[in-house]
Amino acid sequence: MATKSKRVPILFRPAPRLVRHVLLIAFGLFMLYPLLWMVSSSIKPEELIFREPGLVPSEVTGENYAGGWDALKHSFGYYLWNSAVITALAVVGNLFACSLAAYAFARLDFPLKKLWFALMLGTIMLPHHVTVVPQYIAFSEIGWINTIWPIVVPKFLATDAFFIFLMVQFIRTLPRELDEAAAIDGAGHWRTFTRVVMPLCVPALATTAIFTFIWTWNDFFTQNLYLTDSDSLTAPVALRQFMDASGDSSWGPMFAMSIISLGPIFGFFLAGQKYLVRGMATTGFK
């Protein structure tokens, strides 16, 4: 007896490949529109930025880049260097401290391990703004305001629970036989950590480095809170100097310097993209 095939309503049938590609391209252009508009505005004369909202400029100029570079107290390269120093130290701190903490949670046995791990995960759900005031008071008491230490030192103390959890998930996928083989060869925990586990954790380390780089480089709130001296400003805070509360803002130079400040992020992301995808695919975020 022949069975009747179930007919799927046309609304629930998968769209043809061409339609899917067109929709994805349209969605991608929609998401990229703010960035494309900023790129277009950075090469327009300042009086045309809001008068011509389209992406194709009727007149092109490079004055925004030339004028914006030297518009502040220091050249914009000075502020990019400040951002680079803080970001580099934050990346090194997170890689070092979070990998150590992750190895301890994944491989070592110590009292109340599950409780400490649960408390560590609980800090992920703690709103950042809850800790701002006590942290500011503590750093102010020890004289760290207007220095890079409130931003950098916490990175060396494994305070980013998300990265610890990411590395724990990755280390747990590594066979314990590797540790046992290293122990038979006389390796201790430190040697096993540095010679066996860490070389296999490159995707997780790259993921941590990329996200730390992007989040620290783009961080405006924390850097604006602790770095108030004009000589210690970073690129995101320096961009704020182009905006005047009285309305006389330099939009063109600000857009131009914003494009320049995005360059390191794109470069770092493109350099580590393949490790980022591999790290996210092998740490449980499937």
Side-chain angles (χ1 to χ4, degrees):
M1 183 177 178
T3 58
K4 292 183 179 180
S5 60
K6 294 184 179 179
R7 300 193 62 178
V8 180
I10 188 170
L11 289 177
F12 298 101
R13 293 177 190 173
R17 179 175 298 180
L18 177 62
V19 176
R20 292 201 301 268
H21 286 179
V22 170
L23 290 176
L24 288 174
I25 292 173
F27 183 73
L29 292 176
F30 177 75
M31 297 297 293
L32 286 175
Y33 179 79
L35 177 62
L36 297 177
W37 186 86
M38 189 168 67
V39 173
S40 174
S41 299
S42 70
I43 57 176
K44 288 179 182 176
E46 195 159 352
E47 61 273 14
L48 298 181
I49 292 177
F50 297 106
R51 193 182 303 170
E52 295 181 352
L55 294 180
V56 181
S58 61
E59 186 179 346
V60 176
T61 179
E63 292 181 356
N64 292 330
Y65 286 89
W69 188 263
D70 295 317
L72 304 178
K73 180 181 178 181
H74 302 283
S75 70
F76 201 73
Y78 178 87
Y79 305 112
L80 290 175
W81 173 253
N82 286 346
S83 286
V85 171
I86 292 176
T87 305
L89 291 174
V91 170
V92 172
N94 260 352
L95 291 178
F96 176 74
C98 292
S99 60
L100 277 175
Y103 178 80
F105 280 122
R107 286 296 200 253
L108 304 185
D109 291 322
F110 51 88
L112 303 177
K113 174 181 172 181
K114 291 184 179 179
L115 174 63
W116 295 123
F117 189 69
L119 290 176
M120 184 272 296
L121 288 180
T123 61
I124 297 178
M125 294 173 278
L126 192 66
H128 172 65
H129 300 86
V130 173
T131 61
V132 167
V133 173
Q135 281 183 349
Y136 186 87
I137 294 174
F139 291 137
S140 177
E141 290 293 327
I142 57 179
W144 280 7
I145 301 301
N146 219 17
T147 69
I148 65 172
W149 306 124
I151 305 170
V152 171
V153 170
K155 304 296 182 184
F156 285 87
L157 300 177
T159 55
D160 284 330
F162 172 76
F163 297 125
I164 298 174
F165 177 67
L166 185 143
M167 290 194 202
V168 167
Q169 294 295 98
F170 191 90
I171 294 175
R172 282 175 175 172
T173 64
L174 303 178
R176 281 186 174 272
E177 287 77 7
L178 295 174
D179 299 32
E180 295 169 0
I184 292 174
D185 289 340
H189 285 300
W190 177 252
R191 194 173 176 187
T192 303
F193 170 72
T194 56
R195 300 293 182 84
V196 178
V197 175
M198 281 299 100
L200 297 174
C201 290
V202 172
L205 294 173
T207 303
T208 300
I210 291 172
F211 277 115
T212 302
F213 186 96
I214 294 174
W215 292 347
T216 306
W217 186 274
N218 285 334
D219 183 19
F220 175 81
F221 179 80
T222 307
Q223 296 173 13
N224 188 46
L225 182 66
Y226 293 113
L227 304 176
T228 57
D229 186 77
S230 59
D231 293 332
S232 61
L233 298 184
T234 56
V237 185
L239 289 174
R240 178 66 179 79
Q241 306 299 311
F242 288 102
M243 299 183 66
D244 192 343
S246 63
D248 188 20
S249 300
S250 301
W251 295 104
M254 187 185 72
F255 290 144
M257 294 305 101
S258 297
I259 295 298
I260 292 177
S261 66
L262 287 176
I265 295 178
F266 281 114
F268 200 80
F269 178 80
L270 292 176
Q273 184 181 12
K274 65 176 183 180
Y275 296 107
L276 175 66
V277 175
R278 196 188 308 171
M280 297 299 288
T282 54
T283 51
F285 296 96
K286 299 180 179 179

